[in-house]
Amino acid sequence: MLYSAFFFGLISSFHCVGMCGPIAMMLPLDRSSQAKKTAQLLLYHLGRLTAYSSLGLLFGLLGKGFYLAGMQQQLSIIVGVLMISIAVIPEKIFMRYNFSRPVYTIISKVKSALGKQFKKKSNSSLFLIGLLNGFLPCGLVYAALFGALAMQNAPLGIAYMALYGLGTIPMLSAAAYAGSFLSNGFRSKLQKVIPIVTVIIGMLFILRGMGLDIMYVSPGDMSLFVKSGADCR
């Protein structure tokens, strides 16, 4: 399922342009040198990838706990259902409930620290802007984290979130270089594609957990994971 992470990040990046695009456009980049500007932009992306990968580590470890408990297939199905739920339930319904209330203070501090870094023009500040940006609440990042959870070990959890982050780089880089280059109408059309892709990926996780013995899509119960010994029938 790792291949879905990059594709999901690529599609999600159209949403990112609207949400995180202003941050990318306001980055304190050195406009006098194209080479330096590119290097600084890469530092910003490296910060985001570091944040995503660290979250992937945590969720990969959590997923490993489910795997050791023998819940790997059930977890894959639950993850698929959660991803589909995020895509089909209107955002305004989620907004009625402040799910971030328990960590509201932490999020406020992150936003405050992010604002302070914009006043600086050092390479470290660009990395920190990316790092803090990666920890800001985002529904699509939450959906990707469910995917990392289903990977069921730390290395694959890290890889899933890193690939997701890599998928968002092209559009956010374009936003930093070209500014608001997409019309509102075109953005609106792209926004309609994102839930469809999220549902498709969620369905893939559900099929994976069902163990229907479909090659590459839904492997049989006995071939879901690599084992030290052979399964005999």
Side-chain angles (χ1 to χ4, degrees), residues 15-25 44 48 52 133 136 138 172 175:
H15 172 78
C16 293
V17 169
M19 300 302 293
C20 299
I23 293 178
M25 296 174 197
Y44 163 72
R48 290 196 310 114
Y52 291 154
N133 187 185
L136 288 177
C138 174
L172 284 179

Side-chain angles (χ1 to χ4, degrees), residues 13 22 29 41 45-46 48 56-57 63 65 70 92 103 148 153 163 166 168 183 199 208 215 221-222:
S13 64
L29 302 174
L41 186 58
H45 289 311
L46 180 61
R48 290 196 310 114
L57 169 63
K92 61 182 180 181
V103 291
N153 67 66
L163 285 170
L166 286 171
T168 66
S183 66
V199 168
R208 174 176 178 252
M215 188 177 295
D221 294 356
M222 296 185 116

Side-chain angles (χ1 to χ4, degrees), residues 21 43 47 56 59 71 76 90 129 134 137 155 174 189 222:
L43 279 173
F59 277 75
M71 297 176 61
S76 187
I129 288 172
K189 291 178 181 179
M222 296 185 116

Side-chain angles (χ1 to χ4, degrees), residues 127-187:
F127 175 82
L128 287 173
I129 288 172
L131 184 70
L132 295 169
N133 187 185
F135 285 122
L136 288 177
C138 174
L140 292 176
V141 173
Y142 295 158
L145 286 173
F146 289 142
L149 181 68
M151 292 297 100
Q152 298 162 2
N153 67 66
L156 287 180
I158 294 171
Y160 193 93
M161 290 307 296
L163 285 170
Y164 172 81
L166 286 171
T168 66
I169 287 178
M171 284 297 294
L172 284 179
S173 296
Y177 276 104
S180 184
F181 61 97
L182 295 178
S183 66
N184 290 333
F186 186 59
R187 288 187 188 182

Side-chain angles (χ1 to χ4, degrees), residues 5-58:
F6 180 80
F7 183 65
F8 187 39
L10 192 63
I11 296 298
S12 297
S13 64
F14 293 105
H15 172 78
C16 293
V17 169
M19 300 302 293
C20 299
I23 293 178
M25 296 174 197
M26 293 168 57
L27 289 174
L29 302 174
D30 187 338
R31 311 288 175 176
S32 63
S33 170
Q34 191 65 32
K36 192 170 183 179
K37 178 181 177 181
T38 300
Q40 290 176 332
L41 186 58
L42 289 175
L43 279 173
Y44 163 72
H45 289 311
L46 180 61
R48 290 196 310 114
L49 290 177
T50 300
Y52 291 154
S53 297
S54 63
L55 291 172
L57 169 63
L58 293 176

Side-chain angles (χ1 to χ4, degrees), residues 27-28 115-122 124-126 128-129:
L27 289 174
K116 291 178 181 178
Q117 294 303 320
F118 273 100
K119 299 177 182 179
K120 304 176 182 179
K121 293 186 178 181
S122 64
S124 61
S125 68
L126 286 161
L128 287 173
I129 288 172

